[in-house]
Amino acid sequence: TAETSLMAYDLAGVAVSSGSACSSGKVAASPVLSAMQADPAIARCAIRVSTGWNTMDADIVRFLEVFSGLHAKQKAKRNVAA
């Protein structure tokens, strides 16, 4: 779920969100993803990555490092379960 991913990113020092910016604080899947007819199971796992005027290259690099590591762990879990 998105909550599990949010905790993993937070523990790695990366701030991300789940859902759309206009529905922050809600647990339901993003209405934007629902309107795009995204699979509900995938929509519930979505995270939102935002950048701002003060985002540095190092912030992007750090996110990509953490994303790659978390993705590899999830892929390994799926392979073990299969």
Side-chain angles (χ1 to χ4, degrees):
T1 65
E3 290 80 18
T4 304
S5 293
L6 290 176
M7 287 187 286
Y9 280 102
D10 184 50
L11 289 172
V14 176
V16 295
S17 303
S18 64
S20 59
C22 58
S23 65
S24 62
K26 295 181 181 174
V27 179
S30 165
V32 172
L33 294 176
S34 297
M36 294 171 57
Q37 299 180 340
D39 182 304
I42 293 173
R44 284 191 300 275
C45 295
I47 61 164
R48 178 171 46 89
V49 179
S50 301
T51 60
W53 63 270
N54 60 343
T55 300
M56 307 290 280
D57 288 348
D59 299 323
I60 303 297
V61 169
R62 177 66 182 146
F63 167 78
L64 293 173
E65 290 170 350
V66 173
F67 174 82
S68 295
L70 293 175
H71 182 266
K73 285 181 185 178
Q74 287 298 317
K75 189 174 180 180
K77 284 182 184 179
R78 282 193 303 269
N79 289 338
V80 169

